[in-house]
Amino acid sequence: MLNLRDPSLLREQCFVAGQWISAARTIAVTNPASGAVVAHVPRLGATETRQAIDAANGAWPAWRARTAHDRSALLARWHALILENQDDLARIMTAEQGKPLAEARGEIAYAASFIQWFAEEAKRVYGETIPSPISTQRIVVTKEPVGVCAAITPWNFPAAMITRKAGPALAAGCVMVVKPASQTPLTALALAALAERAGIPSGVLSVVTGSAGDIGTELATNPLVRKLSFTGSTEVGRHLMQQTAATVKKVSMELGGNAPFIVFEDADLDAAVEGAIVSKFRNAGQTCVCANRLYVHSKVYDQFARKLADALKALKVGSGEEEGVRIGPLIDDAAVRKVEEHLADALERGAQVITGGGRHALGRSFFEPTVLVGVTQAMRVAREETFGPLAPLFRFETEDEVVAMANDTEFGLASYFYARDLGRVWRVAERLEYGMVGVNTGLISNEVAPFGGVKQSGLGREGSRHGIEDYLVIKYINMAGIESPRTNQLN
Ligand SMILES: NC(=O)c1ccc[n+]([C@@H]2O[C@H](COP(=O)([O-])OP(=O)(O)OC[C@H]3O[C@@H](n4cnc5c(N)ncnc54)[C@H](O)[C@@H]3O)[C@@H](O)[C@H]2O)c1
Ligand SMILES: O=C[C@H](O)CS(=O)(=O)O
């Protein structure tokens, strides 16, 4: 049993149309560190999803009719409740996802920041007037909520990936049905409980758990759903884009990554090592913006590799609840097997391990933080998202060579590089084909900046003033008949 200040936040029911509902069939939620069953949630399907969509559609007119200030105040109340319950939400998250408690607390604060940000942005949805080419007409442009929205979210950030969607959606006057990952539904359900306590009306926000295929198909094909926002793998994103095409839904796609992390010869090496630790090993390497390939100039390659390996040895691996743990377990055994496959492929092709190199002695889904040297573009780690604590180091000689290698991928989410020459910083930042570039930092995620990718890493942006645009549609009003006054023809 979790040691919660408010045990009622641990919900084993879904929030559908303002009601907490159960189901005969359930899904067990397990702790990745221990394998213990934490809770059971309903295994819902298309029927209940339709109920949630119908309730959202019914709640939409009243929700969109509220003033922006009204919606803002309710979101602000939700934000306050999330922070008031930060510790409980973090404990629930660590229990189901495995990340260290300190990281879970950090994610809750990060998740709450999107609610706060869009509570304010709700009041800044501006339209425009346009000078008319015809003297008797006036042109007005307004922005309106797109309508019933669906969100499908991943397990690696069980809170932030939901609020990064629900925040702008509700702020814009939309309503939303959320399907969280089956590995981490408890955080989503706790957030829904707090939204209910904040006074967000029935039907405005629902959370359904269960069969990804059945629920996903209903969300992607039901004509009442006007927008689908997905965060997850590129493979599933492609599938959902195909499914939503039949009803021409607006889509946002936050998909896979393959981030290059480049260390030039003029870099501050200690800063670069610190950045590499944050960028590569946050959430045990299970983030979409993790450094996936580390390119190090040959002049500093050996020194950087040694420093990185030494820094890694200081990181405690263990269960997220344990004090001082920096690297938790991976989400499941399949995740560990993928890291093992990437490691084995690299070793077979000539790479060498300088620290780590296999499953951790703790067993289950723990993996040793690992540094590989002698890595080349021919290896799987160069082409595929590893999503684990494996840092492959590639060597390079010139700026042109490394930019070409960095861009040699179908992904384009995050990228990072360390350099101090101003000309190089501008040249490389402009040449990298990514939605986001971190210069001399390994951590770029916040609520104020536009988060998102190019190429096959996705469509749209989350956070920033841009994030609400994905939940709005533009309306053009042409107001004619504004002739000069004339006697009324009718009398
Ligand atoms: N770009 C971003 O902001 C971002 C953020 C987090 C994770 N990710 C990516 O997500 C992946 C890891 O997360 P994951 O393993 O949960 O991804 P995933 O694509 O397997 O699952 C994501 C969500 O989609 C659901 N899903 C799976 N198959 C589906 C289907 N056929 N129809 C409808 N829904 C379906 C899952 O249940 C889950 O809720 C990585 O590729 C990572 O890069 C991207
Ligand atoms: O996995 C990717 C998420 O977007 C995590 S974060 O936004 O970079 O914290």
Side-chain angles (χ1 to χ4, degrees):
M1 197 58 190
L2 295 186
N3 178 23
L4 301 179
R5 178 173 61 89
D6 179 357
S8 74
L9 285 177
L10 186 61
R11 295 292 170 105
E12 294 191 286
Q13 293 178 299
C14 283
F15 190 49
V16 175
Q19 302 300 316
W20 290 93
I21 67 168
S22 303
R25 297 172 63 204
T26 61
I27 298 171
V29 182
T30 56
N31 182 320
S34 64
V37 174
V38 179
H40 291 83
V41 296
R43 185 189 293 272
L44 303 184
T47 302
E48 297 87 355
T49 304
R50 254 191 306 279
Q51 288 164 356
I53 293 168
D54 290 343
N57 195 48
W60 183 36
W63 181 247
R64 70 175 294 180
R66 284 178 177 247
T67 65
H69 285 70
D70 241 10
R71 294 196 296 269
S72 174
L74 285 167
L75 287 171
R77 181 73 193 117
W78 190 17
H79 167 255
L81 287 171
I82 291 171
L83 291 185
E84 285 167 25
N85 294 278
Q86 184 176 12
D87 280 350
D88 279 353
L89 291 171
R91 290 183 188 286
I92 290 170
M93 182 186 295
T94 293
E96 64 177 353
Q97 198 274 344
K99 65 179 68 176
L101 261 180
E103 278 195 36
R105 285 195 190 95
E107 186 191 333
I108 296 299
Y110 176 50
S113 72
F114 288 103
I115 301 300
Q116 182 181 49
W117 175 265
F118 287 107
E120 288 308 309
E121 287 300 289
K123 296 181 277 188
R124 295 178 182 79
V125 176
Y126 300 140
E128 61 186 348
T129 60
I130 300 171
S132 167
I134 300 173
S135 65
T136 57
Q137 293 182 354
R138 297 295 179 268
I139 294 174
V140 175
V141 177
T142 62
K143 290 188 178 175
E144 300 183 351
V146 69
V148 176
C149 301
I152 299 176
T153 56
W155 50 262
N156 63 338
F157 284 81
M161 299 305 97
I162 288 176
T163 59
R164 212 159 71 173
K165 302 172 187 308
L170 273 52
C174 298
V175 291
M176 181 168 267
V177 178
V178 178
K179 193 220 72 81
S182 296
Q183 300 93 324
T184 56
L186 302 174
T187 303
L189 295 170
L191 287 173
L194 293 175
E196 183 187 30
R197 286 184 201 170
I200 290 175
S202 166
V204 169
L205 178 70
S206 288
V207 177
V208 292
T209 62
S211 158
D214 295 347
I215 295 172
T217 297
E218 186 60 35
L219 292 173
T221 60
N222 188 310
L224 291 177
V225 175
R226 295 310 318 137
K227 154 107 190 164
L228 183 136
S229 180
F230 172 71
T231 297
S233 63
T234 295
E235 180 191 358
V236 174
R238 290 191 193 105
H239 171 69
L240 290 169
M241 286 180 72
Q242 287 171 345
Q243 283 193 311
T244 53
T247 48
V248 193
K249 291 179 178 27
K250 204 174 164 85
V251 293
S252 295
M253 290 283 150
E254 291 287 355
L255 305 177
N258 180 6
F261 185 102
I262 305 168
V263 182
F264 284 98
E265 66 273 28
D266 64 326
D268 175 335
L269 281 193
D270 291 329
V273 167
E274 191 180 320
I277 294 284
V278 166
S279 171
K280 177 66 253 187
F281 295 96
R282 182 164 64 107
N283 201 12
Q286 301 171 115
T287 92
C288 59
V289 291
C290 276
N292 201 60
R293 299 165 283 158
L294 290 86
Y295 294 100
V296 185
H297 191 277
S298 57
K299 284 183 182 168
V300 294
Y301 188 91
D302 295 337
Q303 195 181 358
F304 178 83
R306 190 171 53 252
K307 282 176 175 282
L308 181 60
D310 290 347
L312 267 189
K313 287 168 186 156
L315 300 184
K316 184 180 176 183
V317 178
S319 169
E321 293 90 356
E322 274 178 54
E323 196 61 38
V325 163
R326 286 288 304 275
I327 309 279
L330 300 193
I331 190 68
D332 56 24
D333 201 58
V336 177
R337 290 198 301 273
K338 182 173 185 183
V339 180
E340 286 180 320
E341 287 168 11
H342 280 190
L343 177 59
D345 171 76
L347 295 176
E348 280 162 24
R349 296 171 185 271
Q352 303 91 35
V353 170
I354 61 168
T355 187
R359 290 180 182 248
H360 196 277
L362 286 172
R364 295 201 59 80
S365 56
F366 290 97
F367 200 89
E368 294 175 337
T370 297
V371 176
L372 276 179
V373 291
V375 183
T376 69
Q377 293 287 96
M379 299 171 185
R380 286 181 62 183
V381 287
R383 300 188 305 280
E384 299 170 15
E385 186 178 39
T386 302
F387 233 57
L390 175 65
L393 270 53
F394 302 66
R395 190 185 288 267
F396 75 91
E397 302 296 339
T398 70
E399 192 176 297
D400 285 348
E401 175 199 8
V402 73
V403 168
M405 288 196 290
N407 287 337
D408 181 18
T409 170
E410 71 269 28
F411 294 106
L413 189 60
S415 56
Y416 310 87
F417 69 93
Y418 279 73
R420 284 183 281 197
D421 175 89
L422 196 55
R424 166 171 290 155
V425 166
W426 273 108
R427 287 192 305 272
V428 174
E430 290 175 345
R431 291 177 65 192
L432 286 172
E433 297 166 2
Y434 290 84
M436 300 177 284
V437 182
V439 180
N440 296 325
T441 180
L443 187 58
I444 56 177
S445 306
N446 56 61
E447 76 282 12
V448 306
F451 187 105
V454 298
K455 297 164 74 175
Q456 296 187 39
S457 285
L459 298 168
R461 290 295 181 268
E462 295 192 321
S464 81
R465 66 181 180 82
H466 302 285
I468 202 166
E469 297 298 331
D470 280 3
Y471 294 90
L472 296 166
V473 289
I474 289 176
K475 178 176 282 180
Y476 152 43
I477 302 169
N478 184 313
M479 214 170 287
I482 307 173
E483 283 82 355
S484 53
R486 57 186 179 186
T487 53
N488 187 327
Q489 309 299 331
L490 300 179
N491 56 36

